[in-house]
Amino acid sequence: MPNQASGNELAAMLRFEPVAPSVRGRTYAAGRGSFANLNLIAIVTRGSASLIRAGETLNILSHSVMVLPHGAEAELQVPAGTRAWLIGFARPLQSLIVGTGPESLMLDQVLARLTLTPGNRDVVEATIVPLLPLLEQEITDPRKSSQTAVAALMRLLLIATSRMLDASDLGDFSNDSVILNRFRQLVELGYRSRKPVAAYCDELNLTYDRLHEICQRQLQRTPLALIRQRTLLDASTRLLQSDESIHMIGDQLGFDDPTKFSHFFKRATGLSPRQFRQEGRQSKTRQADAGNLTFSDWP
């Protein structure tokens, strides 16, 4: 995914709404309406709010942060007099936001489940509130609209949020599902650079044997097979849906020689890239199937 997006593309992947104190309360629907494809982050800086989910009510106190993961449906009730900031971003932005490095698994944990920090005025006012006007400007000002800048600001916000939590709230970063999810996100960021499995192990701070074991047990595939499958998905989609030359597609996927790309593709599909493109465009079924593939379709 490119680091920059147009203003319209960025707006479609983000929701940013300051909630000023009002004489009337307001209710926001998470997982539906304007937040249908977004997660929900609520930062309360005055008063309190309530999250109603599955018949249970969670109180969000002043100077606390609540994170609701993607796909979770709930209602956020903001009473009269409360000041809050609501932020949501689409799932494709998550890989860019959590980035790579020691904090990445921790940030994934914060985003993967319902997270609520205790109230902490000093931390929120000093480290989170100053980010909010910058984030709003980056999202709303068409002269800016930098996806990289938005991701950096969101990353800082989430790091500050994680520091408000106790160690017990953050859970076990060694959990296999967490590691597998993080590996998949790193592959999404790095498969076009043809990085070796060892580079992913370094980023995850894991041995090869440990990563291999997790991938085999969870998905019955090796780490290398998963990387190749993601590359193949991109190659197939480009071949069927674009008029780019085969040389250009191979180059964009990190192959320094068109012959290497052709050999890779033929080993995986039994067809050369040219044959695949010709047969695929003659088959409406294959073209429709390939057109619907997304990141969620690879294991």
Side-chain angles (χ1 to χ4, degrees), residues 234-250 261 265 269 271-283 286-287:
D234 196 349
S236 302
T237 303
R238 288 170 185 263
L239 285 167
L240 293 179
Q241 297 185 349
S242 79
D243 293 321
E244 297 171 330
S245 69
I246 292 171
H247 175 86
M248 181 181 294
I249 293 173
F261 173 59
F265 196 87
T269 66
L271 298 171
S272 70
R274 190 176 305 280
Q275 290 171 325
F276 181 86
R277 171 175 271 175
Q278 289 173 346
E279 293 191 15
R281 289 184 172 178
Q282 291 169 1
S283 168
R286 175 180 282 180
Q287 188 169 4

PDB file of all heavy atoms in Angstrom, residues 234-250 261 265 269 271-283 286-287:
ATOM      1  N   ASP A 234      -1.370 -10.649  -5.538  1.00  0.00           N
ATOM      2  CA  ASP A 234      -1.169  -9.329  -6.141  1.00  0.00           C
ATOM      3  C   ASP A 234      -0.861  -9.472  -7.628  1.00  0.00           C
ATOM      4  O   ASP A 234      -1.429  -8.748  -8.464  1.00  0.00           O
ATOM      5  CB  ASP A 234      -0.017  -8.615  -5.428  1.00  0.00           C
ATOM      6  CG  ASP A 234       0.005  -7.122  -5.718  1.00  0.00           C
ATOM      7  OD1 ASP A 234      -0.724  -6.672  -6.615  1.00  0.00           O
ATOM      8  OD2 ASP A 234       0.770  -6.401  -5.054  1.00  0.00           O
ATOM      9  N   ALA A 235       0.018 -10.414  -7.957  1.00  0.00           N
ATOM     10  CA  ALA A 235       0.381 -10.609  -9.365  1.00  0.00           C
ATOM     11  C   ALA A 235      -0.839 -10.984 -10.201  1.00  0.00           C
ATOM     12  O   ALA A 235      -1.060 -10.433 -11.290  1.00  0.00           O
ATOM     13  CB  ALA A 235       1.454 -11.690  -9.470  1.00  0.00           C
ATOM     14  N   SER A 236      -1.648 -11.910  -9.714  1.00  0.00           N
ATOM     15  CA  SER A 236      -2.826 -12.362 -10.460  1.00  0.00           C
ATOM     16  C   SER A 236      -3.811 -11.225 -10.675  1.00  0.00           C
ATOM     17  O   SER A 236      -4.369 -11.055 -11.760  1.00  0.00           O
ATOM     18  CB  SER A 236      -3.511 -13.509  -9.704  1.00  0.00           C
ATOM     19  OG  SER A 236      -2.634 -14.583  -9.496  1.00  0.00           O
ATOM     20  N   THR A 237      -4.030 -10.438  -9.635  1.00  0.00           N
ATOM     21  CA  THR A 237      -4.968  -9.317  -9.734  1.00  0.00           C
ATOM     22  C   THR A 237      -4.483  -8.292 -10.748  1.00  0.00           C
ATOM     23  O   THR A 237      -5.258  -7.783 -11.573  1.00  0.00           O
ATOM     24  CB  THR A 237      -5.151  -8.663  -8.355  1.00  0.00           C
ATOM     25  OG1 THR A 237      -5.605  -9.645  -7.424  1.00  0.00           O
ATOM     26  CG2 THR A 237      -6.168  -7.536  -8.422  1.00  0.00           C
ATOM     27  N   ARG A 238      -3.194  -7.974 -10.703  1.00  0.00           N
ATOM     28  CA  ARG A 238      -2.643  -6.997 -11.647  1.00  0.00           C
ATOM     29  C   ARG A 238      -2.727  -7.507 -13.091  1.00  0.00           C
ATOM     30  O   ARG A 238      -3.034  -6.746 -14.015  1.00  0.00           O
ATOM     31  CB  ARG A 238      -1.194  -6.686 -11.292  1.00  0.00           C
ATOM     32  CG  ARG A 238      -1.011  -5.852 -10.029  1.00  0.00           C
ATOM     33  CD  ARG A 238       0.463  -5.811  -9.644  1.00  0.00           C
ATOM     34  NE  ARG A 238       0.671  -5.117  -8.381  1.00  0.00           N
ATOM     35  CZ  ARG A 238       1.029  -3.832  -8.282  1.00  0.00           C
ATOM     36  NH1 ARG A 238       1.205  -3.121  -9.385  1.00  0.00           N
ATOM     37  NH2 ARG A 238       1.217  -3.280  -7.110  1.00  0.00           N
ATOM     38  N   LEU A 239      -2.448  -8.789 -13.271  1.00  0.00           N
ATOM     39  CA  LEU A 239      -2.480  -9.350 -14.622  1.00  0.00           C
ATOM     40  C   LEU A 239      -3.881  -9.275 -15.226  1.00  0.00           C
ATOM     41  O   LEU A 239      -4.045  -9.030 -16.425  1.00  0.00           O
ATOM     42  CB  LEU A 239      -1.994 -10.802 -14.600  1.00  0.00           C
ATOM     43  CG  LEU A 239      -0.482 -10.997 -14.429  1.00  0.00           C
ATOM     44  CD1 LEU A 239      -0.165 -12.450 -14.100  1.00  0.00           C
ATOM     45  CD2 LEU A 239       0.255 -10.571 -15.698  1.00  0.00           C
ATOM     46  N   LEU A 240      -4.897  -9.490 -14.412  1.00  0.00           N
ATOM     47  CA  LEU A 240      -6.263  -9.523 -14.919  1.00  0.00           C
ATOM     48  C   LEU A 240      -6.926  -8.151 -14.963  1.00  0.00           C
ATOM     49  O   LEU A 240      -7.783  -7.905 -15.812  1.00  0.00           O
ATOM     50  CB  LEU A 240      -7.116 -10.464 -14.064  1.00  0.00           C
ATOM     51  CG  LEU A 240      -6.772 -11.957 -14.131  1.00  0.00           C
ATOM     52  CD1 LEU A 240      -7.686 -12.747 -13.221  1.00  0.00           C
ATOM     53  CD2 LEU A 240      -6.887 -12.469 -15.561  1.00  0.00           C
ATOM     54  N   GLN A 241      -6.534  -7.268 -14.070  1.00  0.00           N
ATOM     55  CA  GLN A 241      -7.274  -6.017 -13.938  1.00  0.00           C
ATOM     56  C   GLN A 241      -6.521  -4.791 -14.450  1.00  0.00           C
ATOM     57  O   GLN A 241      -7.069  -3.686 -14.416  1.00  0.00           O
ATOM     58  CB  GLN A 241      -7.653  -5.796 -12.469  1.00  0.00           C
ATOM     59  CG  GLN A 241      -8.593  -6.868 -11.936  1.00  0.00           C
ATOM     60  CD  GLN A 241      -9.057  -6.556 -10.530  1.00  0.00           C
ATOM     61  OE1 GLN A 241      -8.550  -5.668  -9.862  1.00  0.00           O
ATOM     62  NE2 GLN A 241     -10.042  -7.311 -10.065  1.00  0.00           N
ATOM     63  N   SER A 242      -5.288  -4.942 -14.886  1.00  0.00           N
ATOM     64  CA  SER A 242      -4.542  -3.786 -15.387  1.00  0.00           C
ATOM     65  C   SER A 242      -3.955  -4.112 -16.757  1.00  0.00           C
ATOM     66  O   SER A 242      -3.905  -5.270 -17.176  1.00  0.00           O
ATOM     67  CB  SER A 242      -3.413  -3.417 -14.407  1.00  0.00           C
ATOM     68  OG  SER A 242      -2.306  -4.293 -14.567  1.00  0.00           O
ATOM     69  N   ASP A 243      -3.493  -3.062 -17.422  1.00  0.00           N
ATOM     70  CA  ASP A 243      -2.819  -3.223 -18.709  1.00  0.00           C
ATOM     71  C   ASP A 243      -1.309  -3.053 -18.558  1.00  0.00           C
ATOM     72  O   ASP A 243      -0.595  -2.863 -19.548  1.00  0.00           O
ATOM     73  CB  ASP A 243      -3.362  -2.196 -19.713  1.00  0.00           C
ATOM     74  CG  ASP A 243      -4.820  -2.462 -20.067  1.00  0.00           C
ATOM     75  OD1 ASP A 243      -5.189  -3.644 -20.205  1.00  0.00           O
ATOM     76  OD2 ASP A 243      -5.588  -1.488 -20.185  1.00  0.00           O
ATOM     77  N   GLU A 244      -0.821  -3.115 -17.321  1.00  0.00           N
ATOM     78  CA  GLU A 244       0.618  -3.002 -17.096  1.00  0.00           C
ATOM     79  C   GLU A 244       1.345  -4.157 -17.782  1.00  0.00           C
ATOM     80  O   GLU A 244       0.840  -5.275 -17.848  1.00  0.00           O
ATOM     81  CB  GLU A 244       0.925  -3.027 -15.603  1.00  0.00           C
ATOM     82  CG  GLU A 244       0.342  -1.859 -14.823  1.00  0.00           C
ATOM     83  CD  GLU A 244       0.481  -2.047 -13.325  1.00  0.00           C
ATOM     84  OE1 GLU A 244       0.486  -3.207 -12.875  1.00  0.00           O
ATOM     85  OE2 GLU A 244       0.582  -1.037 -12.617  1.00  0.00           O
ATOM     86  N   SER A 245       2.541  -3.883 -18.255  1.00  0.00           N
ATOM     87  CA  SER A 245       3.329  -4.944 -18.876  1.00  0.00           C
ATOM     88  C   SER A 245       3.749  -5.964 -17.825  1.00  0.00           C
ATOM     89  O   SER A 245       3.828  -5.656 -16.623  1.00  0.00           O
ATOM     90  CB  SER A 245       4.565  -4.353 -19.546  1.00  0.00           C
ATOM     91  OG  SER A 245       5.477  -3.872 -18.566  1.00  0.00           O
ATOM     92  N   ILE A 246       4.012  -7.167 -18.271  1.00  0.00           N
ATOM     93  CA  ILE A 246       4.449  -8.226 -17.353  1.00  0.00           C
ATOM     94  C   ILE A 246       5.777  -7.838 -16.712  1.00  0.00           C
ATOM     95  O   ILE A 246       6.000  -8.086 -15.513  1.00  0.00           O
ATOM     96  CB  ILE A 246       4.545  -9.560 -18.108  1.00  0.00           C
ATOM     97  CG1 ILE A 246       3.130 -10.014 -18.503  1.00  0.00           C
ATOM     98  CG2 ILE A 246       5.235 -10.629 -17.257  1.00  0.00           C
ATOM     99  CD1 ILE A 246       3.081 -11.186 -19.435  1.00  0.00           C
ATOM    100  N   HIS A 247       6.634  -7.193 -17.481  1.00  0.00           N
ATOM    101  CA  HIS A 247       7.905  -6.717 -16.926  1.00  0.00           C
ATOM    102  C   HIS A 247       7.656  -5.727 -15.785  1.00  0.00           C
ATOM    103  O   HIS A 247       8.285  -5.803 -14.728  1.00  0.00           O
ATOM    104  CB  HIS A 247       8.736  -6.056 -18.029  1.00  0.00           C
ATOM    105  CG  HIS A 247      10.014  -5.438 -17.541  1.00  0.00           C
ATOM    106  ND1 HIS A 247      11.185  -6.141 -17.401  1.00  0.00           N
ATOM    107  CD2 HIS A 247      10.284  -4.178 -17.128  1.00  0.00           C
ATOM    108  CE1 HIS A 247      12.127  -5.343 -16.938  1.00  0.00           C
ATOM    109  NE2 HIS A 247      11.602  -4.141 -16.767  1.00  0.00           N
ATOM    110  N   MET A 248       6.721  -4.789 -15.992  1.00  0.00           N
ATOM    111  CA  MET A 248       6.429  -3.787 -14.965  1.00  0.00           C
ATOM    112  C   MET A 248       5.831  -4.429 -13.720  1.00  0.00           C
ATOM    113  O   MET A 248       6.190  -4.077 -12.593  1.00  0.00           O
ATOM    114  CB  MET A 248       5.470  -2.728 -15.522  1.00  0.00           C
ATOM    115  CG  MET A 248       5.128  -1.623 -14.528  1.00  0.00           C
ATOM    116  SD  MET A 248       3.975  -0.397 -15.207  1.00  0.00           S
ATOM    117  CE  MET A 248       5.021   0.313 -16.488  1.00  0.00           C
ATOM    118  N   ILE A 249       4.930  -5.374 -13.900  1.00  0.00           N
ATOM    119  CA  ILE A 249       4.322  -6.050 -12.751  1.00  0.00           C
ATOM    120  C   ILE A 249       5.384  -6.770 -11.938  1.00  0.00           C
ATOM    121  O   ILE A 249       5.430  -6.675 -10.704  1.00  0.00           O
ATOM    122  CB  ILE A 249       3.224  -7.023 -13.216  1.00  0.00           C
ATOM    123  CG1 ILE A 249       2.044  -6.250 -13.814  1.00  0.00           C
ATOM    124  CG2 ILE A 249       2.748  -7.908 -12.054  1.00  0.00           C
ATOM    125  CD1 ILE A 249       0.992  -7.128 -14.455  1.00  0.00           C
ATOM    126  N   GLY A 250       6.263  -7.498 -12.632  1.00  0.00           N
ATOM    127  CA  GLY A 250       7.335  -8.196 -11.926  1.00  0.00           C
ATOM    128  C   GLY A 250       8.225  -7.238 -11.174  1.00  0.00           C
ATOM    129  O   GLY A 250       8.612  -7.490 -10.024  1.00  0.00           O
ATOM    130  N   PHE A 261      10.349 -13.619 -12.375  1.00  0.00           N
ATOM    131  CA  PHE A 261       8.917 -13.464 -12.117  1.00  0.00           C
ATOM    132  C   PHE A 261       8.114 -14.512 -12.874  1.00  0.00           C
ATOM    133  O   PHE A 261       7.199 -15.139 -12.331  1.00  0.00           O
ATOM    134  CB  PHE A 261       8.459 -12.059 -12.504  1.00  0.00           C
ATOM    135  CG  PHE A 261       6.968 -11.863 -12.432  1.00  0.00           C
ATOM    136  CD1 PHE A 261       6.280 -12.064 -11.248  1.00  0.00           C
ATOM    137  CD2 PHE A 261       6.249 -11.484 -13.570  1.00  0.00           C
ATOM    138  CE1 PHE A 261       4.896 -11.889 -11.181  1.00  0.00           C
ATOM    139  CE2 PHE A 261       4.871 -11.308 -13.510  1.00  0.00           C
ATOM    140  CZ  PHE A 261       4.194 -11.513 -12.315  1.00  0.00           C
ATOM    141  N   PHE A 265       5.761 -17.391 -11.178  1.00  0.00           N
ATOM    142  CA  PHE A 265       4.332 -17.465 -11.452  1.00  0.00           C
ATOM    143  C   PHE A 265       3.953 -18.815 -12.047  1.00  0.00           C
ATOM    144  O   PHE A 265       2.933 -19.411 -11.662  1.00  0.00           O
ATOM    145  CB  PHE A 265       3.925 -16.337 -12.408  1.00  0.00           C
ATOM    146  CG  PHE A 265       2.447 -16.094 -12.459  1.00  0.00           C
ATOM    147  CD1 PHE A 265       1.842 -15.229 -11.559  1.00  0.00           C
ATOM    148  CD2 PHE A 265       1.647 -16.745 -13.381  1.00  0.00           C
ATOM    149  CE1 PHE A 265       0.476 -15.011 -11.583  1.00  0.00           C
ATOM    150  CE2 PHE A 265       0.283 -16.533 -13.415  1.00  0.00           C
ATOM    151  CZ  PHE A 265      -0.309 -15.666 -12.505  1.00  0.00           C
ATOM    152  N   THR A 269       1.191 -21.533 -10.632  1.00  0.00           N
ATOM    153  CA  THR A 269      -0.103 -21.663 -11.320  1.00  0.00           C
ATOM    154  C   THR A 269      -0.113 -22.668 -12.462  1.00  0.00           C
ATOM    155  O   THR A 269      -1.183 -23.076 -12.918  1.00  0.00           O
ATOM    156  CB  THR A 269      -0.543 -20.306 -11.891  1.00  0.00           C
ATOM    157  OG1 THR A 269       0.369 -19.914 -12.937  1.00  0.00           O
ATOM    158  CG2 THR A 269      -0.564 -19.235 -10.809  1.00  0.00           C
ATOM    159  N   LEU A 271       0.877 -21.840 -15.335  1.00  0.00           N
ATOM    160  CA  LEU A 271       0.761 -20.999 -16.530  1.00  0.00           C
ATOM    161  C   LEU A 271       1.784 -19.873 -16.456  1.00  0.00           C
ATOM    162  O   LEU A 271       2.117 -19.388 -15.368  1.00  0.00           O
ATOM    163  CB  LEU A 271      -0.638 -20.384 -16.641  1.00  0.00           C
ATOM    164  CG  LEU A 271      -1.833 -21.331 -16.783  1.00  0.00           C
ATOM    165  CD1 LEU A 271      -3.121 -20.542 -16.659  1.00  0.00           C
ATOM    166  CD2 LEU A 271      -1.778 -22.089 -18.108  1.00  0.00           C
ATOM    167  N   SER A 272       2.250 -19.450 -17.596  1.00  0.00           N
ATOM    168  CA  SER A 272       3.084 -18.253 -17.618  1.00  0.00           C
ATOM    169  C   SER A 272       2.196 -17.047 -17.348  1.00  0.00           C
ATOM    170  O   SER A 272       0.963 -17.121 -17.512  1.00  0.00           O
ATOM    171  CB  SER A 272       3.766 -18.098 -18.979  1.00  0.00           C
ATOM    172  OG  SER A 272       2.798 -17.754 -19.966  1.00  0.00           O
ATOM    173  N   PRO A 273       2.766 -15.908 -16.930  1.00  0.00           N
ATOM    174  CA  PRO A 273       1.930 -14.708 -16.723  1.00  0.00           C
ATOM    175  C   PRO A 273       1.127 -14.337 -17.973  1.00  0.00           C
ATOM    176  O   PRO A 273      -0.047 -13.964 -17.867  1.00  0.00           O
ATOM    177  CB  PRO A 273       2.961 -13.627 -16.372  1.00  0.00           C
ATOM    178  CG  PRO A 273       4.101 -14.381 -15.771  1.00  0.00           C
ATOM    179  CD  PRO A 273       4.164 -15.669 -16.517  1.00  0.00           C
ATOM    180  N   ARG A 274       1.737 -14.468 -19.150  1.00  0.00           N
ATOM    181  CA  ARG A 274       1.036 -14.115 -20.379  1.00  0.00           C
ATOM    182  C   ARG A 274      -0.147 -15.056 -20.623  1.00  0.00           C
ATOM    183  O   ARG A 274      -1.253 -14.616 -20.970  1.00  0.00           O
ATOM    184  CB  ARG A 274       1.999 -14.168 -21.566  1.00  0.00           C
ATOM    185  CG  ARG A 274       1.431 -13.576 -22.855  1.00  0.00           C
ATOM    186  CD  ARG A 274       2.477 -13.579 -23.944  1.00  0.00           C
ATOM    187  NE  ARG A 274       3.685 -12.894 -23.516  1.00  0.00           N
ATOM    188  CZ  ARG A 274       3.838 -11.568 -23.512  1.00  0.00           C
ATOM    189  NH1 ARG A 274       2.835 -10.797 -23.908  1.00  0.00           N
ATOM    190  NH2 ARG A 274       4.969 -11.031 -23.109  1.00  0.00           N
ATOM    191  N   GLN A 275       0.075 -16.360 -20.420  1.00  0.00           N
ATOM    192  CA  GLN A 275      -1.013 -17.329 -20.602  1.00  0.00           C
ATOM    193  C   GLN A 275      -2.134 -17.086 -19.602  1.00  0.00           C
ATOM    194  O   GLN A 275      -3.315 -17.154 -19.936  1.00  0.00           O
ATOM    195  CB  GLN A 275      -0.470 -18.749 -20.446  1.00  0.00           C
ATOM    196  CG  GLN A 275       0.429 -19.215 -21.569  1.00  0.00           C
ATOM    197  CD  GLN A 275       1.099 -20.545 -21.247  1.00  0.00           C
ATOM    198  OE1 GLN A 275       1.441 -20.825 -20.095  1.00  0.00           O
ATOM    199  NE2 GLN A 275       1.272 -21.376 -22.268  1.00  0.00           N
ATOM    200  N   PHE A 276      -1.764 -16.792 -18.363  1.00  0.00           N
ATOM    201  CA  PHE A 276      -2.766 -16.543 -17.323  1.00  0.00           C
ATOM    202  C   PHE A 276      -3.620 -15.334 -17.695  1.00  0.00           C
ATOM    203  O   PHE A 276      -4.841 -15.350 -17.548  1.00  0.00           O
ATOM    204  CB  PHE A 276      -2.068 -16.320 -15.978  1.00  0.00           C
ATOM    205  CG  PHE A 276      -3.009 -16.075 -14.829  1.00  0.00           C
ATOM    206  CD1 PHE A 276      -3.563 -17.130 -14.122  1.00  0.00           C
ATOM    207  CD2 PHE A 276      -3.344 -14.780 -14.452  1.00  0.00           C
ATOM    208  CE1 PHE A 276      -4.433 -16.902 -13.063  1.00  0.00           C
ATOM    209  CE2 PHE A 276      -4.212 -14.542 -13.399  1.00  0.00           C
ATOM    210  CZ  PHE A 276      -4.761 -15.612 -12.703  1.00  0.00           C
ATOM    211  N   ARG A 277      -2.964 -14.281 -18.168  1.00  0.00           N
ATOM    212  CA  ARG A 277      -3.701 -13.069 -18.550  1.00  0.00           C
ATOM    213  C   ARG A 277      -4.645 -13.353 -19.717  1.00  0.00           C
ATOM    214  O   ARG A 277      -5.810 -12.953 -19.694  1.00  0.00           O
ATOM    215  CB  ARG A 277      -2.719 -11.965 -18.903  1.00  0.00           C
ATOM    216  CG  ARG A 277      -3.359 -10.724 -19.510  1.00  0.00           C
ATOM    217  CD  ARG A 277      -2.339  -9.627 -19.710  1.00  0.00           C
ATOM    218  NE  ARG A 277      -2.226  -8.780 -18.515  1.00  0.00           N
ATOM    219  CZ  ARG A 277      -1.323  -7.798 -18.384  1.00  0.00           C
ATOM    220  NH1 ARG A 277      -0.434  -7.591 -19.337  1.00  0.00           N
ATOM    221  NH2 ARG A 277      -1.317  -7.059 -17.289  1.00  0.00           N
ATOM    222  N   GLN A 278      -4.156 -14.060 -20.707  1.00  0.00           N
ATOM    223  CA  GLN A 278      -4.984 -14.358 -21.880  1.00  0.00           C
ATOM    224  C   GLN A 278      -6.178 -15.227 -21.508  1.00  0.00           C
ATOM    225  O   GLN A 278      -7.321 -14.938 -21.888  1.00  0.00           O
ATOM    226  CB  GLN A 278      -4.133 -15.044 -22.944  1.00  0.00           C
ATOM    227  CG  GLN A 278      -3.115 -14.127 -23.608  1.00  0.00           C
ATOM    228  CD  GLN A 278      -2.171 -14.864 -24.531  1.00  0.00           C
ATOM    229  OE1 GLN A 278      -2.090 -16.092 -24.500  1.00  0.00           O
ATOM    230  NE2 GLN A 278      -1.444 -14.116 -25.352  1.00  0.00           N
ATOM    231  N   GLU A 279      -5.931 -16.305 -20.762  1.00  0.00           N
ATOM    232  CA  GLU A 279      -7.025 -17.204 -20.393  1.00  0.00           C
ATOM    233  C   GLU A 279      -7.974 -16.537 -19.403  1.00  0.00           C
ATOM    234  O   GLU A 279      -9.185 -16.740 -19.466  1.00  0.00           O
ATOM    235  CB  GLU A 279      -6.466 -18.498 -19.804  1.00  0.00           C
ATOM    236  CG  GLU A 279      -5.711 -19.355 -20.802  1.00  0.00           C
ATOM    237  CD  GLU A 279      -5.406 -20.735 -20.263  1.00  0.00           C
ATOM    238  OE1 GLU A 279      -6.017 -21.114 -19.240  1.00  0.00           O
ATOM    239  OE2 GLU A 279      -4.577 -21.433 -20.869  1.00  0.00           O
ATOM    240  N   GLY A 280      -7.423 -15.757 -18.493  1.00  0.00           N
ATOM    241  CA  GLY A 280      -8.261 -15.096 -17.495  1.00  0.00           C
ATOM    242  C   GLY A 280      -9.202 -14.095 -18.105  1.00  0.00           C
ATOM    243  O   GLY A 280     -10.359 -13.975 -17.691  1.00  0.00           O
ATOM    244  N   ARG A 281      -8.745 -13.358 -19.085  1.00  0.00           N
ATOM    245  CA  ARG A 281      -9.600 -12.341 -19.712  1.00  0.00           C
ATOM    246  C   ARG A 281     -10.649 -12.967 -20.627  1.00  0.00           C
ATOM    247  O   ARG A 281     -11.651 -12.328 -20.924  1.00  0.00           O
ATOM    248  CB  ARG A 281      -8.733 -11.341 -20.474  1.00  0.00           C
ATOM    249  CG  ARG A 281      -7.945 -10.456 -19.517  1.00  0.00           C
ATOM    250  CD  ARG A 281      -7.156  -9.392 -20.211  1.00  0.00           C
ATOM    251  NE  ARG A 281      -6.587  -8.466 -19.221  1.00  0.00           N
ATOM    252  CZ  ARG A 281      -5.815  -7.436 -19.525  1.00  0.00           C
ATOM    253  NH1 ARG A 281      -5.528  -7.179 -20.793  1.00  0.00           N
ATOM    254  NH2 ARG A 281      -5.338  -6.653 -18.571  1.00  0.00           N
ATOM    255  N   GLN A 282     -10.406 -14.212 -21.016  1.00  0.00           N
ATOM    256  CA  GLN A 282     -11.416 -14.915 -21.802  1.00  0.00           C
ATOM    257  C   GLN A 282     -12.469 -15.562 -20.904  1.00  0.00           C
ATOM    258  O   GLN A 282     -13.545 -15.927 -21.355  1.00  0.00           O
ATOM    259  CB  GLN A 282     -10.744 -15.994 -22.659  1.00  0.00           C
ATOM    260  CG  GLN A 282      -9.880 -15.424 -23.776  1.00  0.00           C
ATOM    261  CD  GLN A 282      -9.018 -16.486 -24.441  1.00  0.00           C
ATOM    262  OE1 GLN A 282      -9.083 -17.656 -24.068  1.00  0.00           O
ATOM    263  NE2 GLN A 282      -8.224 -16.079 -25.413  1.00  0.00           N
ATOM    264  N   SER A 283     -12.130 -15.684 -19.638  1.00  0.00           N
ATOM    265  CA  SER A 283     -13.042 -16.338 -18.701  1.00  0.00           C
ATOM    266  C   SER A 283     -13.612 -15.308 -17.742  1.00  0.00           C
ATOM    267  O   SER A 283     -12.936 -14.806 -16.865  1.00  0.00           O
ATOM    268  CB  SER A 283     -12.307 -17.425 -17.909  1.00  0.00           C
ATOM    269  OG  SER A 283     -13.089 -17.873 -16.830  1.00  0.00           O
ATOM    270  N   ARG A 286     -13.282 -16.418 -14.000  1.00  0.00           N
ATOM    271  CA  ARG A 286     -11.979 -16.255 -13.357  1.00  0.00           C
ATOM    272  C   ARG A 286     -11.715 -14.792 -13.058  1.00  0.00           C
ATOM    273  O   ARG A 286     -11.221 -14.435 -12.001  1.00  0.00           O
ATOM    274  CB  ARG A 286     -10.868 -16.808 -14.252  1.00  0.00           C
ATOM    275  CG  ARG A 286      -9.472 -16.548 -13.680  1.00  0.00           C
ATOM    276  CD  ARG A 286      -8.379 -17.102 -14.570  1.00  0.00           C
ATOM    277  NE  ARG A 286      -8.245 -18.532 -14.401  1.00  0.00           N
ATOM    278  CZ  ARG A 286      -7.362 -19.281 -15.070  1.00  0.00           C
ATOM    279  NH1 ARG A 286      -6.562 -18.737 -15.947  1.00  0.00           N
ATOM    280  NH2 ARG A 286      -7.299 -20.586 -14.857  1.00  0.00           N
ATOM    281  N   GLN A 287     -12.088 -13.941 -14.008  1.00  0.00           N
ATOM    282  CA  GLN A 287     -11.849 -12.518 -13.792  1.00  0.00           C
ATOM    283  C   GLN A 287     -12.661 -11.997 -12.615  1.00  0.00           C
ATOM    284  O   GLN A 287     -12.174 -11.226 -11.798  1.00  0.00           O
ATOM    285  CB  GLN A 287     -12.190 -11.731 -15.053  1.00  0.00           C
ATOM    286  CG  GLN A 287     -11.788 -10.257 -14.972  1.00  0.00           C
ATOM    287  CD  GLN A 287     -11.886  -9.575 -16.311  1.00  0.00           C
ATOM    288  OE1 GLN A 287     -12.317 -10.173 -17.283  1.00  0.00           O
ATOM    289  NE2 GLN A 287     -11.490  -8.335 -16.368  1.00  0.00           N
TER     290      GLN A 287
END
